[in-house]
Amino acid sequence: MKNNFLGFFLFFLAAVAFAQVDQVSVLQNDEGAKLVINGEDFMINGMNWDYFPIGTNFSYSLWKQSDDVIKAALDAEMGLLKNMNVNAIRQYTGVPSKWIEYIFKEYGIYTLLNHSFGRYGLTIDGAWEAVTDYSDPRTQELLLSEMDDLVKNYKNTPGLLMYLLGNENNYGLFWAGAETEDFPDDEEEKKFIGEQRGRPMYRLMNDAAIKIKAVDSSHPVAICNGDVLFIDIISEECKEVDVYGVNMYRGVSFGDAFEVVKEKLNKPIMFTEFGADAFNAIENTEDQRTQAYYLVGNWKEIYENAAGQGKAGNSIGGFTFQFSDGWWKFGQTKNLDIHDKNASWANGGYSIDLEEGKNNMNEEWFGICAKGPTNERGLYELYPRAAYYALSEVHKLNPHAKGVTPELVEAHFENIKLKDAETKTH
């Protein structure tokens, strides 16, 4: 009798744990591709989120602070995100599962869990390798073992949306480190790198997806690619990946991205990063309205290309880059207390502040919120910019809601006034 009771009790606990885990899946039909959670269509109104007080850089971790500091930081920022109708954030591995669950249960916000997959180097046999060689058997063994740990640690976490592998790792095949650089123009060089270094990487990503899904069938697996570079190789090597995640900075329009991904991959597209800085490189001053202009234009296309809206039908949403300014992004390890105004790369898609021969992308100004000084507890306040208020209006619309038509989407965006959003910042 005692053994039967123990067996029933353990079964009950397992059933409760299982019931807490959302069933997230990708559904494709004649209308297009959708993300579905527990049978309900879900459009990702996401945000790239992190927590770096002024004076810190990539070496800082919120998760190494005391629980009361972590909770205070999350309550302040997740409250702001919930108020702007954000339903998912992108976070890197290292966040304890209990805080993913806390964010979800307290604020209804899911986490896209991102494993960098060797993007910034690896320690192999005790030695640091700055550039990851994905054809190296030791690298393959290490990364696939990390996938085992990833699934074991997170698969039953309430609030987990899906797994994301990499962060524009195809760009990392050309340069080492996290700081953005201008991209090489030579097509032959790109093709050579794609075959010699890219193909082994994408093949390993596919192996990782297979390994993850064998253990966790409740959450899709995505990769994070830089734009559509090497998409033909991806189509050949990443057949078991569920979602094409992409970092894309093309200005106010993504151009033909939706159609290219549909034709080449026939997978849903999820914008893991996109955005605009809030600084005008020509005027050398903050420019909130222009940032909001680019972001609203991007989200309009994301909604227009959702399933059932008459266009490509493969958009499942995206993650705006980013919630708050990163004062460490330019230089990485120096001038951490200075909000640097140097533009580190050029992008013709952002023509409003582009001058020929000069850079116009200000890495430390991509936040839709400005960052205040750090207090004695290591916390800070955020000051929403016009983009915050504009996106709050954007995310009031659910393109999957009953009765939402392309005409309604068009009218929704026409009614978003950037001047009104800018007024709210004063």
Side-chain angles (χ1 to χ4, degrees), residues 212-418:
I212 291 170
K213 291 160 69 175
V215 179
D216 183 356
S217 59
S218 298
H219 302 96
V221 180
I223 63 168
C224 175
N225 204 56
D227 212 287
V228 294
L229 178 67
F230 304 144
I231 195 167
D232 289 320
I233 299 176
I234 293 170
S235 70
E236 296 168 1
E237 300 292 350
C238 291
K239 296 186 185 299
E240 298 304 317
V241 170
D242 300 299
V243 175
Y244 183 72
V246 61
N247 291 0
M248 187 171 285
Y249 294 88
R250 293 188 178 184
V252 74
S253 172
F254 295 119
D256 62 355
F258 301 94
E259 290 76 15
V260 168
V261 172
K262 183 175 183 178
E263 176 190 347
K264 298 280 189 177
L265 300 181
N266 194 30
K267 295 181 187 291
I269 182 171
M270 172 179 68
F271 291 87
T272 42
E273 270 188 35
F274 64 97
D277 59 276
F279 196 85
N280 188 305
I282 295 175
E283 302 295 334
N284 198 37
T285 188
E286 186 176 14
D287 185 356
Q288 295 191 27
R289 187 185 294 198
T290 297
Q291 180 191 40
Y293 160 75
Y294 285 120
L295 288 173
V296 171
N298 289 156
W299 275 106
K300 183 171 186 281
E301 291 191 348
I302 289 172
Y303 283 10
E304 287 175 335
N305 285 277
Q309 291 304 319
K311 292 194 175 182
N314 58 349
S315 170
I316 61 170
F319 296 81
T320 301
F321 188 83
Q322 61 181 347
F323 194 44
S324 62
D325 290 333
W327 283 43
W328 58 276
K329 289 294 183 73
F330 184 86
Q332 306 274 316
T333 59
K334 57 187 179 182
N335 297 331
L336 302 181
D337 294 309
I338 297 174
H339 204 184
D340 212 300
K341 298 178 180 179
N342 286 284
S344 56
W345 54 294
N347 190 322
Y350 301 82
S351 58
I352 291 174
D353 68 341
L354 180 66
E355 286 186 294
E356 187 174 353
K358 294 185 178 181
N359 293 334
N360 65 326
M361 305 303 286
N362 295 81
E363 282 288 324
E364 296 197 359
W365 293 78
F366 269 80
I368 66 163
C369 295
K371 188 170 290 181
T374 308
N375 66 21
E376 64 278 0
R377 296 177 68 201
L379 302 168
Y380 53 82
E381 288 189 41
L382 293 182
Y383 301 93
R385 292 190 170 113
Y388 173 93
Y389 296 106
L391 294 185
S392 298
E393 294 300 316
V394 166
H395 295 323
K396 287 180 180 178
L397 177 68
N398 177 7
H400 294 316
K402 187 176 181 180
V404 175
T405 63
E407 292 76 21
L408 195 151
V409 172
E410 180 74 28
H412 175 74
F413 280 88
E414 283 184 2
N415 288 330
I416 296 172
K417 307 301 181 187
L418 301 185

Side-chain angles (χ1 to χ4, degrees), residues 144-160:
L144 291 179
S145 72
E146 289 185 1
M147 296 304 105
D148 287 331
D149 294 337
L150 185 73
V151 181
K152 184 176 82 172
N153 291 332
Y154 292 102
K155 68 175 182 176
N156 292 323
T157 304
L160 177 63

